[in-house]
């Protein structure tokens, strides 16, 4: 700690920080542009100037940039000194010389850090009267719009895109007043994290193109604290709604998980919520015939179809814990399925079991950034857990930070650290089925079959323990020994694996390596979906086990079974049932096969709890009430539909009227999930006697929103389930506990930089603690176990096996339903290595037909430099579901 003196007052601060960060953490405002908590200091904008004095007797002082000055003990500064204030005001004026001053038409208006800082410096006169410099804008793809004339040359964009996110197609060009930030030429930004430019940029140079299509100001959107549904990482988001549509998704700060950044899948992949073809009212279906019915008629029909019958309940890893529990209560534990195939369920249950083992520690996403050696087994993280891949990129920089620390250079001095480190990275080793997007920071990357990856992983585990490495050739042994020696030499080694290659032995190898390394090692396992880990702890039958039973009716909750099992299997299972009832928020193949469809809420229209791959239980909240805009809509959380059916079938009164009622029941009946009651405040939580407002103070046009229905303003919807309110009449601002904050705003801070006001210290954690509870920390540990390396798979030169290949945008169930994603989804194709392409005499673009069991798939071929011999890359999510366990036959088309 250090004592600093600011304008005559003394404060205790973290002495390892710079003055700007220390003052902001104290709640003292200093304007800034180029500095960012995640990017460090470069001192390029000169906006954060303060006067520093040598001692209390010094009256003259000197101007220093607070972002470049350490918060050393007994530092004396003045923010209010006239020279410093005048200097800061002149800097804003200089930066605004060529700015178009187009706030009324700029999409960043009301959300703009430049506006905030201009007001903070009290600059309010434009004296420049000459021709302004102008630039041509670039087309940057379907996510980001570009308006270079608004640029103030803070360099944040290029520092984030290149240095933080590892992008290579973006840079800074020209010089002096004509400096230009963009691509070498127009074209789609290649980075999977490009959307963060919209929040990193302090002006309106980079704006959200998906929001532009249906634009409104930030203050006219309704928000809720939420959890991204795109993968199992559990990133926090702030979805914004207007007129019953999701208009924009922004990053919601969580100091343990995503911090300031999201991947593009999470930011832009929610357009499916607005689709016209989704069920918004109950429906009776008979093939292509769809009849919309009332809620009462739908419930009466469903109750009649299941009363006294054997009912099979199919849950889902993309549905909330509450909805899965309500389904189990309706059909009984012996008739409840998790909705996962046997293969997928075995994998996620194995991941959950490993995470509960004695001696295994699974770090959060932020902590991943602190590890100094990483081994990734079987995962292309950028495709399967993209935000985690961004954390691994930061872990690669730890060697440079250590080199800088050895020279007594603080790690927040971005440029010195970069120059000292040069191109040195912490060691990252990757074993994957194809070349990954993290190859540029890897010390070594091996492309191998899933079986070989597992065997190499066990070889590393043996080498860590000092045992002999058996069953591998000399090159593989040498590589395994090198990786083992590196991990043993590290202060904090990390092992990452997961389910994406559908091979349990890979995760077992990862667990064995972590156990052999001892208590300093971390282990992270990715799983497929937002609530896969939750269902692993919840338990239930697999789909195959469920379908093997006799049943009269099936109730399917938020699950497309055709993505889980081959179509013939699903069709046979549905044909056994006299009635098929589906609850979902999107049009799917399973919904099309149902007799009755109940319109379930998406994450934007309902509340619920999900568990990330880390084991972090988190709650997402309803953003808006659809029936407020269109009273005919009957969109309800799945648990509400299911409880209404249960009460009708069993002839009992409604007992769950609030979300808290369901949570209480889950806590009592599922011991592994007992801690979910502590995930977030209950519905009775208040701040100064007020519920928390979903809408900013300046929210406008509320009477006009429903004018086509009624000229009189109705009462706002009442939220009985949570401590949030559907209006601006509630608490808004930085409170002591920030886990329920729907959006970032504080007096004088309208931009995303307002998150600084909600943190215990800038860049740290939310006041009162980050949202979520780590369940594995609270569960009783299981005895550690040893795992056995698999035998080598003998490949037949006349047959092939399929290996899953994931794509961040193409493999998701709902990204393909999002219009903005269409241009980012590659053509579905099989991948074949050059050796096998020559053996098959097949060229890029030719048709390949694969026969897997009863399923025939014909797709063009994409020949890549290397893929393990005898393996064909299968595009997950873009082709019919098949079993990957058995060899397949291959035919080359004409």
């Amino acid at each position: 700690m250090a004592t600093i003196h600011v304008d005559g007052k003394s404060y205790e601060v973290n002495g390892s920080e710079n003055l700007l960060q220390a003052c902001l953490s104290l709640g003292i405002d200093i304007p800034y542009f180029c500095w960012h908590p995640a990017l460090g200091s470069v001192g390029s904008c000169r906006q954060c100037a303060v006067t520093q004095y040598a001692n209390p007797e010094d009256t003259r002082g000197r101007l220093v940039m607070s972002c470049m000055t350490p918060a050393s003990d007994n530092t004396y500064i003045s923010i209010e000194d006239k020279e410093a204030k005048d200097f800061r005001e002149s800097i804003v004026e200089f930066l605004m010389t060529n700015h178009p001053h187009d706030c009324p038409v700029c999409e960043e208006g009301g959300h703009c850090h430049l506006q905030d800082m201009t007001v903070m410096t009290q600059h309010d006169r434009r004296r420049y009267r000459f021709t302004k410099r102008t630039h041509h804008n670039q087309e940057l793809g379907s996510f980001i719009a570009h308006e270079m004339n608004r640029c103030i040359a803070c360099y944040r964009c290029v520092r984030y895109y290149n240095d933080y996110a590892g992008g290579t197609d973006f840079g800074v060009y020209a010089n002096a007043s004509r400096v230009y930030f963009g691509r070498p030429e127009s074209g789609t930004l290649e980075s999977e994290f490009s959307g963060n430019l919209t929040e990193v940029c302090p002006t309106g140079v980079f704006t959200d193109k998906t929001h532009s299509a249906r634009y409104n100001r930030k203050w006219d959107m309704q928000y809720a604290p939420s959890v991204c549904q795109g993968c199992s990482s559990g990133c926090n988001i702030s979805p914004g709604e207007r007129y019953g549509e999701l208009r924009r998704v922004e990053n919601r700060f969580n100091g343990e998980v995503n911090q300031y950044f999201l991947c593009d899948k999470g930011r832009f992949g929610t357009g499916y919520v607005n689709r016209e073809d989704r069920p918004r009212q109950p429906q009776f279906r008979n093939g292509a015939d769809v009849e919309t019915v009332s809620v009462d008629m739908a419930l009466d029909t469903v109750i009649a179809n299941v009363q006294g019958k054997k009912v099979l309940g199919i849950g889902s890893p993309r549905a909330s814990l509450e909805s899965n529990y309500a389904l189990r209560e309706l059909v009984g534990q012996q008739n409840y399925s998790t909705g996962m195939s046997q293969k997928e369920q075995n994998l996620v249950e194995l991941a959950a079991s490993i995470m509960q083992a004695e001696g295994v520690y699974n770090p959060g996403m932020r902590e991943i950034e602190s590890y100094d050696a990483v081994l990734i087994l079987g995962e292309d993280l950028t495709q399967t857990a993209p935000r985690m891949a961004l954390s691994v990129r930061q872990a690669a920089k730890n060697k440079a930070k250590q080199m800088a620390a050895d020279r007594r250079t603080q790690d927040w001095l971005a440029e010195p650290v970069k120059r000292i480190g040069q191109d040195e990275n912490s060691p990252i080793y990757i074993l994957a089925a194809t070349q990954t997007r993290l190859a540029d920071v890897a010390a070594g990357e091996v492309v191998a079959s899933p079986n070989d990856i597992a065997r190499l992983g066990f070889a590393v585990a043996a080498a860590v323990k000092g045992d002999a490495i058996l069953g591998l050739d000399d090159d593989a042994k040498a590589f395994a020994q090198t990786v083992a020696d590196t991990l043993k030499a590290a202060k904090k080694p990390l092992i990452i694996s997961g389910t994406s290659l559908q091979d349990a032995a890979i995760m077992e190898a990862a667990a064995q390596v972590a156990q052999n390394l001892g208590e300093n090692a971390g282990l992270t396992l990715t799983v497929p979906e937002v609530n896969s880990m939750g269902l692993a702890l919840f338990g239930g039958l697999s789909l195959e086990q469920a379908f093997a039973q006799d049943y009269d009716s099936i109730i399917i909750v938020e699950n497309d079974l055709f993505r889980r099992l081959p179509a013939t299997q699903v069709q046979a299972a549905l044909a056994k049932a006299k009635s098929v009832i589906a609850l979902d928020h999107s049009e799917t193949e399973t919904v099309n096969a149902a007799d009755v469809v109940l319109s379930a809420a998406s994450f934007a229209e309902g509340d619920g709890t999900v568990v990330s791959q880390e084991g972090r239980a988190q709650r997402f909240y309803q953003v808006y009430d659809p029936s407020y805009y269109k009273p005919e809509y009957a969109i309800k959380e799945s648990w509400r539909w299911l409880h209404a059916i249960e009460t009708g079938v069993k002839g009992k009164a409604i007992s769950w009227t609030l979300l808290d009622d369901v949570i209480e029941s889950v806590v009592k009946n599922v011991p592994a999930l007992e801690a979910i009651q502590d995930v977030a405040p209950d519905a009775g939580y208040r701040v100064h006697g007020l519920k928390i407002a979903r809408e900013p103070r300046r929210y406008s046009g509320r009477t006009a929103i429903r004018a086509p229905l009624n000229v009189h303003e109705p009462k706002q919807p009442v939220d009985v389930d949570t401590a949030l309110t559907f209006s601006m009449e509630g608490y808004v601002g930085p409170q002591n506990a920030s886990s329920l904050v729907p959006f970032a705003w504080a007096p004088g801070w309208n931009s995303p930089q307002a998150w600084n006001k909600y943190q215990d210290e800038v860049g740290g954690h939310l006041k009162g603690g980050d949202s979520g509870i780590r369940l594995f920390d609270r569960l009783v540990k299981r005895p550690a176990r040893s795992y056995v390396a698999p035998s080598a798979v003998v490949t037949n030169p006349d047959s092939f096996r399929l290996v899953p290949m994931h794509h961040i945008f193409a493999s998701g169930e709902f990204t393909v339903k999002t219009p903005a994603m269409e241009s980012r989804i590659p053509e579905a194709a099989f991948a074949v290595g050059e050796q096998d392409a020559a053996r098959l005499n097949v060229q890029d673009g030719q048709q390949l037909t694969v026969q897997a069991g009863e399923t025939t798939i014909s797709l063009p071929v994409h020949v890549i430099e290397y893929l393990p011999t005898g393996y064909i890359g299968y595009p997950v999510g873009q082709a019919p579901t098949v079993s990957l366990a058995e060899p397949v036959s291959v035919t080359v088309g004409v």
Side-chain angles (χ1 to χ4, degrees):
M1 299 296 289
T3 300
I4 64 171
H5 309 273
V6 183
D7 288 313
K9 295 182 180 180
S10 299
Y11 302 93
E12 289 289 323
V13 299
N14 184 344
S16 65
E17 296 174 349
N18 58 57
L19 283 173
L20 174 59
Q21 187 169 359
C23 288
L24 290 173
S25 296
L26 293 169
I28 301 170
D29 290 343
I30 300 177
Y32 63 91
F33 287 118
C34 65
W35 180 81
H36 186 282
L39 304 179
S41 305
V42 291
S44 67
C45 72
R46 324 307 289 171
Q47 184 61 68
C48 64
V50 297
T51 301
Q52 183 177 14
Y53 302 97
N55 50 55
E57 289 73 37
D58 182 6
T59 58
R60 183 175 181 181
R62 63 190 179 96
L63 286 178
V64 298
M65 302 307 119
S66 58
C67 75
M68 300 295 289
T69 307
S72 306
D73 198 31
N74 284 324
T75 297
Y76 293 83
I77 63 169
S78 172
I79 301 170
E80 298 301 322
D81 178 65
K82 186 177 188 307
E83 183 182 11
K85 291 176 70 174
D86 290 346
F87 181 83
R88 293 195 298 266
E89 185 176 345
S90 69
I91 288 295
V92 166
E93 184 173 13
F94 292 147
L95 293 176
M96 297 285 281
T97 299
N98 288 299
H99 191 281
H101 292 75
D102 60 344
C103 299
V105 298
C106 176
E107 293 188 13
E108 200 73 358
H111 192 232
C112 178
H113 188 65
L114 176 59
Q115 286 180 330
D116 291 345
M117 297 302 98
T118 303
V119 172
M120 191 179 293
T121 59
Q122 300 177 31
H123 167 62
D124 60 2
R125 293 290 184 274
R126 182 174 67 176
R127 295 184 292 175
Y128 185 75
R129 290 293 179 266
F130 305 99
T131 303
K132 290 177 180 277
R133 170 221 63 208
T134 57
H135 289 294
H136 291 291
N137 301 320
Q138 290 183 326
E139 172 58 44
L140 298 178
S142 59
F143 296 160
I144 305 292
H146 190 226
E147 176 49 81
M148 254 307 295
N149 293 319
R150 298 172 183 146
C151 182
I152 59 170
C154 71
Y155 285 82
R156 267 200 203 176
C157 59
V158 71
R159 291 174 58 220
Y160 161 74
Y161 194 92
N162 294 352
D163 299 343
Y164 193 94
T168 57
D169 61 320
F170 183 92
V172 53
Y173 306 96
N175 61 3
S177 66
R178 301 200 63 82
V179 68
Y180 189 93
F181 297 87
R183 301 182 82 250
E185 58 185 12
S186 288
T188 300
L189 287 167
E190 295 172 4
S191 173
E192 294 84 357
F193 307 97
S194 63
N196 293 305
L197 289 172
T198 63
E199 293 187 32
V200 167
C201 176
T203 73
V205 176
F206 302 100
T207 53
D208 185 336
K209 191 178 283 189
T210 65
H211 185 203
S212 302
R214 301 278 286 168
Y215 181 74
N216 56 273
R217 294 297 187 191
K218 173 180 180 174
W219 62 75
D220 280 335
M221 279 193 283
Q222 183 166 245
Y223 301 86
S226 194
V227 178
C228 177
Q229 309 287 300
C231 73
S232 65
S233 295
C235 296
N236 286 199
I237 57 174
S238 286
E241 168 270 343
R242 180 76 169 175
Y243 288 105
E245 296 176 337
L246 269 194
R247 295 287 177 86
R248 183 172 185 173
V249 170
E250 296 179 71
N251 183 75
R252 184 172 179 273
F253 185 87
N254 185 313
E256 294 284 356
V257 189
N258 48 295
Q259 301 174 78
Y260 291 98
F261 303 120
L262 295 174
C263 75
D264 287 354
K265 181 180 183 180
R267 186 180 295 274
F268 302 114
T270 58
Y272 65 90
V273 173
N274 300 331
R275 286 182 67 100
E276 291 295 327
D277 61 359
R278 58 170 291 200
R280 290 183 169 88
Q281 297 165 271
Q283 299 170 345
F284 289 165
R285 294 194 173 214
N286 184 10
D289 296 331
V290 179
E291 178 188 356
T292 298
V293 297
S294 67
V295 170
D296 289 341
M297 181 178 291
L299 287 174
D300 290 344
T301 302
V302 172
I303 291 168
N305 286 345
V306 303
Q307 192 145 28
K309 306 283 181 31
K310 174 71 179 294
V311 183
L312 192 62
I314 308 295
S316 172
R318 66 170 164 88
S320 68
L321 289 174
E322 292 82 359
S323 293
N324 278 284
Y325 178 76
L327 177 63
R328 196 178 82 174
E329 286 293 284
L330 170 61
V331 302
Q333 189 162 350
Q334 69 280 7
N335 298 320
Y336 166 78
S337 167
T338 61
M340 294 184 278
S341 68
Q342 188 67 62
K343 181 80 169 178
E344 182 181 348
Q345 183 157 327
N346 288 346
L347 289 167
V348 295
E349 287 179 346
L350 173 63
S353 175
I354 290 171
M355 286 305 165
Q356 295 174 72
E358 194 72 45
V360 170
Y361 174 70
N362 62 322
M365 205 119 63
R366 181 177 190 152
E367 191 176 354
I368 286 172
E369 298 179 6
S370 67
Y371 284 82
D372 58 350
V374 181
L375 171 62
I376 302 174
L377 286 174
E379 291 292 316
D380 183 354
L381 285 179
T382 309
Q383 316 303 335
T384 59
R387 184 58 186 81
M388 189 184 296
L390 198 57
S391 292
V392 171
R393 282 195 176 276
Q394 310 325 305
K397 300 171 185 173
N398 286 328
K399 184 172 182 179
K401 290 180 180 178
Q402 185 58 52
M403 292 170 66
D406 293 342
R407 290 162 176 79
R408 298 184 179 181
T409 301
Q410 295 93 336
D411 62 6
W412 45 263
L413 286 165
E415 281 301 310
V417 170
K418 186 177 178 182
R419 292 180 187 280
I420 291 169
Q422 294 296 318
D423 295 323
E424 294 290 331
N425 286 325
S426 296
I428 295 174
Y429 291 96
I430 303 172
L431 280 63
T434 187
Q435 188 176 32
T436 73
R437 297 279 281 173
L438 287 173
D440 59 308
V441 294
E445 184 176 60
V446 172
V447 177
S449 69
N451 177 256
D452 286 340
I453 291 170
R455 292 171 64 234
L456 259 174
F458 275 105
V460 172
V464 166
K465 198 174 180 181
D467 296 340
I469 301 174
L470 304 175
L472 298 179
D473 59 32
D474 291 342
D475 287 346
K477 287 180 182 178
F479 179 79
Q481 190 65 56
T482 299
V483 174
D485 291 343
T486 302
L487 294 174
K488 284 196 294 183
K491 295 177 182 177
K492 286 185 69 176
L494 174 66
I495 317 301
I496 300 176
S497 188
T499 63
S500 70
L501 291 184
Q502 302 183 22
D503 192 323
I506 295 176
M507 289 196 293
E508 292 176 346
Q512 194 66 66
V513 175
Q515 287 179 186
N516 289 358
L517 284 168
E519 61 182 10
N520 290 331
L523 175 65
T524 291
L525 300 175
T526 69
V527 291
E529 296 186 65
V530 63
N531 203 21
S532 293
M533 195 62 84
L535 285 203
L537 296 172
F538 186 67
L541 304 173
S542 68
L543 284 174
E544 290 93 331
Q545 289 171 328
F547 289 155
Q549 299 182 7
D550 293 324
Y551 48 86
D552 300 309
S553 298
I554 298 181
I555 298 178
I556 305 164
V557 175
E558 299 178 43
N559 200 337
D560 186 2
L561 303 184
F562 290 90
R563 292 180 61 89
R564 309 281 177 186
L565 293 174
T568 52
Q569 249 180 293
V570 177
Q571 289 161 354
L574 297 181
K576 283 173 60 179
K578 295 182 177 65
S579 65
V580 176
I581 299 108
L583 291 78
D584 216 329
H585 52 70
S586 293
E587 189 87 356
T588 68
E589 205 170 340
T590 300
V591 164
N592 291 333
D595 303 312
V596 181
V597 177
L598 301 180
S599 42
S602 69
F603 77 94
E605 299 138 343
D607 312 299
T609 308
V610 291
V611 182
S612 72
Q613 52 80 25
E614 177 196 349
R616 181 179 294 272
Q618 299 184 99
R619 198 150 297 141
F620 60 88
Y621 292 93
Q622 185 176 2
V623 184
Y624 64 100
D625 182 355
S627 63
Y628 178 74
Y629 301 98
K630 294 194 175 181
E632 67 271 20
Y633 284 175
I635 297 174
K636 306 177 187 299
E637 293 105 324
S638 292
W639 65 262
R640 290 192 190 276
W641 284 114
L642 294 165
H643 186 59
I645 295 168
E646 183 196 359
T647 56
V649 168
K650 298 179 180 178
K652 64 178 188 179
I654 294 279
S655 57
W656 293 347
T657 56
L658 308 176
L659 179 70
D660 288 341
D661 297 335
V662 197
I663 293 170
E664 183 181 351
S665 191
V666 173
V667 167
K668 286 180 180 177
N669 295 288
V670 188
L673 300 176
E674 182 180 355
I676 70 167
Q677 63 186 330
D678 301 325
V679 164
D682 62 21
Y685 176 77
R686 298 291 185 272
V687 179
H688 305 309
L690 299 172
K691 297 187 84 171
I692 297 167
R694 285 179 168 91
E695 299 169 359
R697 291 277 189 234
R698 291 184 291 170
Y699 191 90
S700 64
R702 200 161 71 186
T703 46
I705 285 176
R706 282 176 47 103
L709 301 177
N710 195 315
V711 295
H712 300 289
E713 180 187 357
K715 181 182 178 182
Q716 288 293 107
V718 177
D719 186 354
V720 298
D721 287 314
T722 76
L724 299 160
T725 177
F726 290 109
S727 74
M728 70 180 88
E729 289 83 20
Y731 185 84
V732 175
Q735 63 231 51
N736 290 331
S738 303
S739 63
L740 280 183
V741 176
F743 55 90
W745 178 88
W749 296 79
N750 299 284
S751 78
Q753 299 302 302
W755 283 117
N756 296 342
K757 296 296 182 182
Y758 292 85
Q759 297 163 356
D760 53 10
E761 62 176 6
V762 173
H765 302 272
L766 291 177
K767 295 175 182 176
D770 297 306
S771 62
I773 294 291
R774 281 169 52 95
L775 299 183
F776 293 132
D777 292 348
R778 298 198 178 192
L779 296 174
V780 176
K781 290 292 185 180
R782 300 175 180 178
R785 50 171 285 210
S786 295
Y787 304 94
V788 179
S791 302
V793 172
V794 179
T795 57
N796 183 340
D798 297 323
S799 67
F800 286 85
R801 291 177 180 272
L802 297 179
V803 61
M805 299 192 76
H806 298 261
H807 188 278
I808 180 174
F809 303 130
S811 297
E813 181 174 357
F814 297 114
T815 47
V816 296
K817 295 176 179 287
T818 297
M821 291 287 175
E822 290 175 0
S823 63
R824 301 299 303 272
I825 295 174
E827 180 188 16
F830 289 122
V832 177
E834 289 180 349
Q835 289 182 328
D836 281 330
R839 181 157 64 99
L840 290 169
N841 194 25
V842 63
Q843 296 180 348
D844 212 71
Q846 268 189 281
Q847 202 77 1
L848 200 68
T849 300
V850 168
Q851 183 71 39
E854 298 180 25
T855 305
T856 302
I857 310 171
S858 291
L859 292 173
V861 168
H862 178 42
V863 178
I864 62 179
E865 183 178 355
Y866 182 74
L867 198 67
T869 304
Y871 283 85
I872 295 175
Y874 168 82
V876 173
Q878 291 186 283
T881 303
V882 295
S883 171
L884 304 181
E886 300 299 326
V888 298
S889 61
V890 177
T891 306
V892 179
V894 179

